[in-house]
Amino acid sequence: TEEDIARNNNRESMFALNQWAADYFQRYMYNEDEGRAVALTYFSSKRGFSDATIRKFGLGFCPSRGNRFAEDARSAGYKEEFLLSTGLTIQREGSSELRDRFYDRVMFPVHNVSGRVVAFGGRTLRTDKKVAKYQNSPESEIYSKSREVYCLFFAKKSIQQEDCVIMVEGYADVISMHQAGVENVVASSGTSLTEEQIRLVGRFTNNITLMYDGDPAGVKASMRGVDLILKEGMNVRIVLLPEEHDPDTFARAHTSEQLRDYIAREAQDFL
């Protein structure tokens, strides 16, 4: 029907804009003084990500001037309606001005299982407690938080080869594990595990290993996901990390081999 065609065109426009935005954020980080000083320093020095890793996952930076991205996107010919529907920009009530949702944040694109950019996570580097640490794209025609699994696109081949998926909590956890050579790792990124996420992963393997932080909150988070995974008829193992570590710091402190050995040795059957 005409409605279907219109909806499909809108979806394609949103995908195109998101891909352009991901490229823009990365270009800005590599080519502008602000991007290099703030974001590149953070990713490479603080997080220890290599250049190849940064480029693979499409990491970037959204300019700190609150409407710079919106202006550049419009100049490139992108329509206001899609800047708003993807959630890349926000319009205050009663104002015609567009503001960037992610201004002054380092950017993590979220890809769907076929590799298209459906959303973004932006992390502030400010220490101001009033500023939310993470800002995520809102739900849209192309993005449903409960249905996406961060990094599944990059991990699916390895998940099939290993016949096992390792589930961690955050963006940096996944990226550090991949960089350390363990690539069958994904994240539920900021949401409690949902049935849709478990089914999506279930297309590639029946075995899930949960690897959350070693602190009490991490233990609690892993327990929450277990019931759902068992309900979907999948096998669950849990790896608890030493209390002072999360998957990100643990991956950076060990070689690929040590990491694999630890997971193989410490993965306990949930029961």
Side-chain angles (χ1 to χ4, degrees):
T1 67
E2 277 179 25
E3 281 106 61
D4 291 339
I5 292 167
R7 193 161 83 236
N8 205 31
N9 288 344
N10 285 347
R11 286 171 60 86
E12 286 305 317
S13 299
M14 290 168 80
F15 281 130
L17 171 58
N18 274 347
Q19 186 56 57
W20 181 85
D23 295 340
Y24 172 93
F25 295 140
Q26 186 155 88
R27 267 200 320 276
Y28 191 89
M29 176 176 73
Y30 276 113
N31 301 334
E32 302 279 340
D33 291 344
E34 176 185 52
R36 284 196 297 266
V38 179
L40 204 49
T41 306
Y42 169 76
F43 285 134
S44 53
S45 306
K46 187 116 191 276
R47 287 293 185 185
F49 296 158
S50 69
D51 188 60
T53 296
I54 291 170
R55 290 183 187 276
K56 174 182 172 181
F57 292 98
L59 310 180
F61 183 68
C62 185
S64 61
R65 202 182 90 217
N67 59 355
R68 165 83 192 263
F69 166 76
E71 283 177 2
D72 289 348
R74 273 162 145 172
S75 305
Y78 289 95
K79 289 184 184 166
E80 196 171 291
E81 63 174 295
F82 299 119
L83 283 165
L84 291 167
S85 63
T86 52
L88 283 160
T89 63
I90 303 166
Q91 200 166 28
R92 298 255 154 76
E93 243 173 85
S95 159
S96 61
E97 193 196 352
L98 292 184
R99 304 282 296 163
D100 300 340
R101 178 182 294 271
F102 298 107
Y103 71 92
D104 202 17
R105 289 174 181 270
V106 294
M107 300 297 292
F108 298 86
V110 177
H111 300 80
N112 66 10
V113 71
S114 54
R116 303 183 87 179
V117 179
V118 289
F120 292 90
R123 185 191 196 281
T124 184
L125 301 182
R126 296 191 206 167
T127 47
D128 182 357
K129 289 279 181 278
K130 289 199 219 51
V131 178
K133 190 171 171 186
Y134 278 96
Q135 175 79 272
N136 297 307
S137 293
E139 304 262 316
S140 73
E141 185 71 46
I142 59 172
Y143 175 58
S144 165
K145 195 166 62 177
S146 61
R147 289 205 188 103
E148 296 300 339
V149 174
Y150 179 67
C151 209
L152 184 58
F153 170 67
F154 297 106
K156 59 187 181 184
K157 192 169 151 210
S158 176
I159 291 169
Q160 284 173 310
Q161 285 167 348
E162 306 274 339
D163 193 19
C164 172
V165 62
I166 297 170
M167 184 77 78
V168 295
E169 234 169 339
Y171 302 125
D173 295 328
V174 175
I175 297 171
S176 288
M177 295 278 284
H178 276 248
Q179 182 168 280
V182 180
E183 294 190 351
N184 57 330
V185 183
V186 299
S188 55
S189 59
T191 61
S192 304
L193 260 181
T194 64
E195 285 174 16
E196 291 105 327
Q197 288 172 328
I198 295 164
R199 282 183 200 141
L200 183 58
V201 167
R203 282 161 45 182
F204 303 98
T205 181
N206 211 20
N207 302 302
I208 295 190
T209 298
L210 299 177
M211 186 173 177
Y212 289 152
D213 302 2
D215 61 5
V219 176
K220 213 163 140 191
S222 55
M223 290 303 170
R224 265 205 315 268
V226 164
D227 289 348
L228 282 178
I229 298 169
L230 291 173
K231 209 169 100 190
E232 291 298 322
M234 296 170 83
N235 309 314
V236 195
R237 298 180 82 76
I238 293 182
V239 172
L240 288 181
L241 293 171
E243 196 155 332
E244 68 279 8
H245 277 296
D246 58 29
D248 169 38
T249 58
F250 195 76
R252 283 188 283 153
H254 295 82
T255 66
S256 172
E257 205 142 301
Q258 289 170 331
L259 199 53
R260 286 171 190 282
D261 287 349
Y262 184 88
I263 293 166
R265 194 176 63 242
E266 295 292 327
Q268 301 171 45
D269 183 289
F270 166 66
L271 296 177

